[in-house]
Amino acid sequence: MKKLFILIFTLCFGLTMHAQNTQTDAERERENKMLEAFLPTLDARRSEFVGQPAKKLFDVIRGSAFKIRNIGTEETSPWAEYKGKMWVYGLSLYNKPAQQAMKDKEVYIIRIILDVR
């Protein structure tokens, strides 16, 4: 009886945790609308961040609906560079992990071009 009770409790707990992590269609649609409103305003404010520390931009992003779930680098092509070297010149911020973005076939990306190599 004790094992049965523990099994039922574990099953209920697992279902509850899974339900909290699953996003409904309404929540996903609301998040997409907030992102679609935020991204054009961020693009319009682009000149505010030029020459400023990256922390200023990341603080704005952190306070928005855009949740950084994956980061990639912007790199030069090894064929265009001297001796085939590649250089990182920017970042790409994604609102979904790569696996989920491939499955959903939709993702929002913020590309940040840095003035460094």
Side-chain angles (χ1 to χ4, degrees):
M1 184 69 175
K2 185 176 179 181
K3 288 181 181 180
L4 181 63
F5 176 72
I6 291 172
L7 179 65
I8 291 173
F9 176 76
T10 305
L11 181 64
C12 290
F13 182 74
L15 287 173
T16 304
M17 293 305 292
H18 178 71
Q20 289 177 355
N21 291 333
T22 305
Q23 208 176 25
T24 65
D25 288 339
E27 290 171 335
R28 193 175 301 117
E29 185 66 29
R30 186 172 57 246
E31 182 180 340
N32 285 345
K33 285 183 181 179
M34 290 188 326
L35 286 172
E36 288 171 1
F38 167 71
L39 293 176
T41 60
L42 182 67
D43 191 42
R45 294 176 57 190
R46 181 186 331 189
S47 62
E48 289 180 36
F49 307 111
V50 175
Q52 298 297 319
K55 184 179 182 332
K56 183 175 180 179
L57 173 62
F58 286 114
D59 287 342
V60 170
I61 293 171
R62 193 174 300 127
S64 72
F66 190 93
K67 302 303 176 209
I68 300 171
R69 300 275 194 319
N70 196 4
I71 298 176
T73 57
E74 296 289 328
E75 301 171 339
T76 60
S77 169
W79 295 280
E81 294 295 330
Y82 178 69
K83 293 188 179 180
K85 293 184 177 182
M86 293 177 63
W87 303 95
V88 173
Y89 66 90
L91 298 172
S92 293
L93 310 176
Y94 302 88
N95 71 322
K96 293 182 180 180
Q99 302 286 345
Q100 185 180 357
M102 296 290 278
K103 185 177 78 172
D104 294 349
K105 300 200 188 299
E106 68 175 16
V107 65
Y108 289 97
I109 303 170
I110 296 176
R111 286 196 166 83
I112 303 169
I113 305 304
L114 305 171
D115 189 24
V116 295
R117 279 194 173 192

